[in-house]
Structure formats: C-alpha cells, structure tokens
C-alpha cells in the first residue's frame, strides 16, 4: 500500500506490552498491534475497537507483531466481530503469526472471523 492511501494515523494507546496504532485506508480502519494481548492489555484493544464505532464499520486488525494472545483477546475479537456485523460491517484479521493462529484454530475462531495472510489481502487489494 502506498503512503498516499493511508490517512489519519493515530497512536491509540500503549499499555503493558501492547501498542495500537490506528490508520484508515479506503474507508477501512486499520489497527496495527504490537506485543501481547492478555488480561492486562485487553482493555487497550477493546478501546481501540470501540473507537472504531459505526463510522468505521469495516475494521482490519493487523496482527503481524502480536506475539501472544489469551482468552481475553479472543473474547474481545468475538465481541467486536458481532458488534461490527450488527452495524453492517466486518472485522478481518491480517498477518496472524503462527503461535497466535494456532490458538485461533484450536478454538475455531478463524472460521468465525475472516483471517487473511497479509494486510493487503485483508484490505481487499
């Protein structure tokens, strides 16, 4: 994606070992995460997803730099998925690393939430 396609870069938060940077591309809100998603950092992710609101009912979570996710993160993603679907939008996960993907596969979350190999694929490019 070229720099010209990304707009509204915003560093949402950094808590514990999780940082979230929000951008927008073609009307899609992109949340780029780095670190661990657990019960200590889950509120950071939850707030970033809630900030998406209905104005950005299409959200991609770029997870290429997420090194760990427990049930807290899974529950947050499920809630966001349902909320965005009810608003007529969607949630996609991009570039999920092998250890986190294994967790998603064990519980079947990748069957509920659309997971794409790259950010470009998640954005539909």
């Amino acid at each position: 994606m070229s720099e010209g396609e990304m707009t509204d870069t915003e560093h949402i938060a950094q808590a514990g070992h999780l940082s979230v940077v929000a951008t927008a591309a073609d009307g899609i809100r992109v949340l780029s995460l780095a670190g661990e998603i657990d019960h200590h950092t889950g509120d950071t992710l939850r707030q970033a997803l809630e900030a998406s609101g209905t104005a950005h009912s299409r959200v991609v979570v770029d997870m290429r730099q997420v090194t760990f996710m427990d049930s807290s993160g899974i529950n947050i993603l499920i809630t966001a998925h349902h909320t965005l679907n009810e608003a007529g939008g969607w949630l996609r996960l991009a570039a999920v690393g092998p250890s986190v993907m294994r967790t998603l596969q064990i519980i079947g979350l990748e069957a509920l939430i659309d997971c794409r190999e790259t950010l470009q694929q998640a954005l539909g490019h």
Side-chain angles (χ1 to χ4, degrees):
M1 172 181 338
S2 71
E3 298 242 350
E5 294 175 4
M6 296 297 281
T7 59
D8 303 327
T9 300
E10 175 186 358
H11 185 80
I12 296 290
Q14 183 166 355
H17 299 287
L18 179 68
S19 68
V20 180
V21 175
T23 56
D26 301 326
I28 301 170
R29 185 167 173 91
V30 178
L31 300 177
S32 298
L33 310 181
E36 300 179 354
I37 304 169
D38 59 23
H39 67 281
H40 296 293
T41 62
D43 281 338
T44 301
L45 176 57
R46 182 180 294 108
Q47 290 169 4
L49 286 164
E50 288 173 355
S52 298
T54 55
H56 292 280
S57 60
R58 298 179 299 158
V59 178
V60 170
V61 179
D62 181 354
M63 298 185 66
R64 88 183 92 183
Q65 295 182 29
V66 174
T67 56
F68 173 81
M69 183 170 65
D70 70 6
S71 61
S72 302
I74 292 165
N75 290 328
I76 292 165
L77 292 174
I78 291 170
T79 299
H81 167 75
H82 290 302
T83 300
L84 290 165
N85 277 346
E86 289 172 4
W90 45 256
L91 175 67
R92 289 183 186 154
L93 305 181
V96 180
S99 63
V100 174
M101 182 56 85
R102 176 82 172 120
T103 301
L104 299 180
Q105 291 170 334
I106 288 170
I107 62 156
L109 190 63
E110 92 289 359
L112 176 67
I113 299 175
D114 190 3
C115 296
R116 304 287 176 97
E117 288 186 30
T118 67
L119 178 57
Q120 298 292 11
Q121 290 172 348
L123 291 170
H125 295 167

